[in-house]
Amino acid sequence: MEGEHREPHQKLVTGEFGYVLEDVPHLSDYIPDLLTYPNPLQDNPAYSVVKQYFVLTEDTVPEKIVVNKGSPRGRHFRRAGARQKVYFQSDEVHACIVTCGGLCPGLNTVIREIVCGLYNMYGVSKVLGIEGGYKGFYSRNTIKLTPKLVNDIHKRGGTIIGTSRGGHDTKKIVDSIQDRGINQVYIIGGDGTQKGAAAIYEEIRHRGLKVVVAGIPKTIDNDIPVIDKSFGFDTAVEEAQRAINAAHVEAESMENGIGVVKLMGRYSGFIAMHATLANRDVDCCLIPESPFYLGGKGGLFEFMESRLKENGHMVIVIAEGAGQELLTEERNEKDASGNKLLKDVGLWISQKIKDYFVGRCKMIINLKYIDPTYMIRAVPSNASDNVYCTLLAQSAVHGAMAGYTGFTSGLVNGRHTHIPFYRITESQNKVIITDRMWARLLSSTNQPSFMSCVDANEPKNGEEPQTESSEENSPS
Ligand SMILES: Nc1ncnc2c1ncn2[C@@H]1O[C@H](COP(=O)(O)OP(=O)(O)OP(=O)(O)O)[C@@H](O)[C@H]1O
Ligand SMILES: O=P(O)(O)OC[C@H]1O[C@](O)(CO)[C@@H](O)[C@@H]1O
Ligand SMILES: [Mg+2]
C-alpha cells in the first residue's frame, strides 16, 4: 500500500441537547464557487409524483435509537437520498465502479443498480467498470457498463468486473482517475477496501479535483461497524442452512453421528451465530469471539459425550476464525492485502474429535465434515438482499450527484445514511458474547459457555487442561 498517509478530515456539527452530526465531506469544502443544477429527477414521471421525494439538507439519522428521558441526542449521520440540487450535469459525469476484496452475494446487484441509477435517474451515459480490483486502475482494462450489459447480472454470483486483494497504490490509482477524466468513483468492498477508498479521497482532495469518492460496504462476515448489517449477509445465512441441514441428516442417520460445518467469519462469528439460531438443529456453535476448550470439565468433549448419549447424534457449527489460538501448527502467511491466513479449524477439530472418541474413548462415531464456505459466498443474492443492494447503490448515486464525497453508504437503524470513512474503518463489528443475542444462542443450543476458569489453563492443543486457575490468562 503506497502513498503518503493523511489524517482524515472530520466534520462535526454540534447542536442543542448533545446533538452531534458526524458529517461527510462535500466537494464545496475544498472547491469554491461550484455550479449547481436542478435535480433531473424532478422531471422524471416515476419520482415527480412523490410528495416529498427530495431529502432535506438538514435531515439526519441518529446512531443510537434506544434512549431514555435524560439521554443527550447523541451522534447522527447525514440522511441519504436525492437532493433538490445536484453538482454535476448529466453529460459531465464520467463514473467508474470497482469491486475489491473477497466475493459476497449481491456485488453484481450493486453494480447493476449504480449503472441503472446513473443512466435512468440522472441521464448519465459514461460508466466504466475497472477490472480486477484496485490494481485494475493501473494495470488492467476497463469495461463500458450500460443498463443493457448489466440487465441480468443480479441473477449471478461473483462480480462481473472481477476483484482482487492487494495492489492498492494511491498515487497510481488517482493518476489513472485523473488521466481518464473520471469524476465519480464508486468503490465496493470491505474494511480494507474502505481504508483504500479513504486514502484515494484524501489524495483527490489534496490535488483539488472535482471527483467524488463513494464507498459501498461489502462484507459477508458482517464485520463492518455502525451499519445495521451488510448486504449478502442474509443470503449467506440462508445458504448456510443447506449445509447445516445436510450435516444434520448425515448425523442422525448413523450411530453417534457427528456433523461438523465450517462457515466463514474471520474475526466475527455473525454468520455462524445467525445460521445456528435460524436452524435449531445445531448443538454447538463456536465463534472467534468466544474462546473454547476441548477437554476437561465444561469442555467441548464432555458436552459432546452427554449430547451423544442423549440424542445419539449432534451438529457443530464452527466459524473459520474460532479457536485459532488452540491450533499448534504455525501459519504466519498473509494474503496479498496483508490479512493473516487462517489455519483450517474445521479439519483440525474434526481430527481432534476422532482422536478423542475413537482413539481415547474407543467409541464408534461417524463424523462428517462439511466445508461450504466458498459455496455460500459465490451464490447470487436473495430477494431481500437484492432490494437492500438496490437502495444502497441508489443512495451512493444520489450522494455523489449531490456533491458529497469521502463517504460510505450504509443502513443505520433502518434508514439509509452517508457515513464518513473513518467511522467504518476505525473498528470491527463483533459478536458481543455478554449481549442478548449470544445468550439467545446459548439458550437455544444449551452448549457450554466455556466461561469456566478451567479454560484459563488450557494447553495449546486444548486437550489436557490443568486444574488450577489463573485469572490473568483467562480468555473471557
Ligand atoms: N490500509 C489500507 N490502505 C489502503 N488500501 C488498503 C488497506 N487495506 C487494504 N487495502 C486494499 O483494499 C483492497 C481490499 O482489501 P482486503 O483484501 O483486505 O479486503 P476487504 O475490503 O477487507 O474485504 P474482505 O471483507 O473480503 O476482507 C486490497 O486491494 C487492498 O490492497
Ligand atoms: O480466500 P479469500 O478469497 O482470500 O477469502 C477468504 C476470506 O474472505 C472472507 O469471506 C471475507 O470476505 C472471509 O470470511 C474469509 O476468511
Ligand atoms: Mg477485510
Side-chain angles (χ1 to χ4, degrees):
M1 274 141 285
E2 308 261 315
E4 199 182 314
H5 173 77
R6 296 184 208 286
E7 285 307 316
H9 292 88
Q10 294 195 8
K11 268 173 89 178
L12 294 183
V13 181
T14 53
E16 281 188 354
F17 310 111
Y19 171 95
V20 180
L21 165 63
E22 287 206 54
D23 206 358
V24 296
H26 192 272
L27 289 174
S28 57
D29 293 347
Y30 64 93
I31 308 175
D33 308 322
L34 280 170
L35 292 178
T36 60
Y37 312 92
N39 192 322
L41 276 172
Q42 68 189 37
D43 306 317
N44 183 312
Y47 297 101
S48 54
V49 290
V50 182
K51 222 168 168 195
Q52 167 119 41
Y53 186 70
F54 295 114
V55 163
L56 301 178
T57 324
E58 317 78 81
D59 283 355
T60 61
V61 177
E63 183 175 12
K64 290 198 170 45
I65 48 164
V66 179
V67 289
N68 50 49
K69 226 162 95 187
S71 306
R73 291 179 65 197
R75 306 236 150 203
H76 292 67
F77 297 110
R78 187 167 280 285
R79 183 179 173 196
R83 315 270 149 175
Q84 203 107 36
K85 291 210 173 332
V86 293
Y87 280 72
F88 291 92
Q89 279 179 305
S90 307
D91 58 1
E92 175 196 352
V93 175
H94 190 191
C96 77
I97 307 174
V98 64
T99 51
C100 312
L103 291 183
C104 177
L107 280 167
N108 277 335
T109 314
V110 176
I111 296 170
R112 182 190 193 280
E113 299 306 327
I114 294 173
V115 175
C116 293
L118 283 166
Y119 268 78
N120 303 336
M121 296 197 289
Y122 287 100
V124 170
S125 60
K126 282 185 280 176
V127 188
L128 281 183
I130 305 294
E131 277 190 340
Y134 276 137
K135 62 177 94 160
F137 271 105
Y138 54 86
S139 66
R140 296 283 297 272
N141 290 330
T142 55
I143 312 170
K144 185 168 165 49
L145 299 172
T146 60
K148 197 165 173 214
L149 189 101
V150 300
N151 185 43
D152 62 355
I153 62 170
H154 59 299
K155 306 268 162 96
R156 286 182 245 160
T159 154
I160 60 153
I161 51 180
T163 184
S164 66
R165 297 194 188 273
H168 180 99
D169 184 323
T170 312
K171 290 236 155 65
K172 279 196 196 167
I173 293 170
V174 179
D175 286 348
S176 158
I177 289 168
Q178 219 172 339
D179 293 348
R180 292 174 200 272
I182 289 167
N183 50 19
Q184 292 189 1
V185 185
Y186 295 91
I187 301 179
I188 313 166
D191 54 341
T193 306
Q194 303 300 320
K195 284 178 195 156
I200 292 170
Y201 157 71
E202 292 295 342
E203 179 63 23
I204 282 172
R205 181 173 177 146
H206 178 69
R207 296 189 193 182
L209 307 175
K210 188 189 173 188
V211 177
V212 303
V213 181
I216 294 103
K218 173 244 49 151
T219 155
I220 198 169
D221 294 351
N222 201 32
D223 57 1
I224 292 189
V226 184
I227 60 174
D228 293 354
K229 69 175 169 188
S230 48
F231 73 79
F233 177 71
D234 267 4
T235 307
V237 170
E238 202 170 295
E239 196 61 19
Q241 302 305 305
R242 296 188 336 132
I244 299 173
N245 290 341
H248 184 242
V249 169
E250 288 285 345
E252 68 174 354
S253 310
M254 310 278 249
E255 181 184 358
N256 289 330
I258 301 170
V260 176
V261 180
K262 184 176 80 170
L263 297 176
M264 276 187 174
R266 243 190 223 140
Y267 305 111
S268 307
F270 288 101
I271 299 179
M273 177 171 77
H274 283 256
T276 297
L277 268 170
N279 192 279
R280 301 285 166 165
D281 280 332
V282 179
D283 295 274
C284 188
C285 172
L286 302 168
I287 59 167
E289 296 88 337
S290 175
F292 65 93
Y293 55 95
L294 301 180
K297 194 152 174 43
L300 181 68
F301 291 155
E302 183 192 70
F303 171 68
M304 289 182 74
E305 274 183 76
S306 75
R307 237 344 116 86
L308 289 174
K309 215 182 211 171
E310 230 172 275
N311 294 343
H313 69 276
M314 72 177 296
V315 175
I316 298 173
V317 164
I318 187 159
E320 61 177 338
Q324 287 290 316
E325 68 286 354
L326 300 176
L327 278 75
T328 43
E329 159 216 351
E330 282 301 314
R331 190 170 186 198
N332 291 322
E333 295 157 72
K334 294 194 168 162
D335 70 16
S337 295
N339 302 303
K340 199 167 181 269
L341 287 174
L342 299 180
K343 296 164 269 187
D344 192 332
V345 75
L347 279 178
W348 172 83
I349 204 164
S350 300
Q351 193 54 50
K352 288 286 173 196
I353 293 170
K354 284 182 197 158
D355 291 349
Y356 179 77
F357 285 101
V358 182
R360 207 196 269 193
C361 306
K362 309 289 176 224
M363 250 172 86
I364 294 174
I365 59 157
N366 281 289
L367 186 143
K368 300 287 186 279
Y369 171 46
I370 302 180
D371 177 351
T373 42
Y374 289 102
M375 295 180 72
I376 286 169
R377 219 174 62 163
V379 296
S381 43
N382 67 14
S384 86
D385 270 325
N386 272 339
V387 175
Y388 183 23
C389 291
T390 302
L391 267 72
L392 275 175
Q394 290 188 357
S395 294
V397 168
H398 290 316
M401 290 300 297
Y404 292 108
T405 180
F407 71 87
T408 299
S409 282
L411 195 68
V412 176
N413 297 316
R415 292 293 183 152
H416 285 269
T417 68
H418 297 323
I419 306 164
F421 283 137
Y422 65 88
R423 283 301 309 275
I424 294 289
T425 55
E426 69 190 1
S427 63
Q428 233 171 7
N429 190 26
K430 285 187 188 280
V431 172
I432 299 170
I433 59 165
T434 49
D435 224 346
R436 287 184 187 80
M437 208 57 173
W438 188 243
R440 283 183 193 112
L441 181 135
L442 292 179
S443 94
S444 98
T445 57
N446 269 317
Q447 69 189 66
S449 68
F450 302 108
M451 296 270 199
S452 110
C453 55
V454 182
D455 55 343
N457 301 312
E458 193 58 16
K460 268 265 176 225
N461 70 6
E463 276 199 26
E464 302 288 350
Q466 295 159 22
T467 44
E468 73 271 20
S469 69
S470 150
E471 235 171 77
E472 243 171 89
N473 298 326
S474 172
S476 56

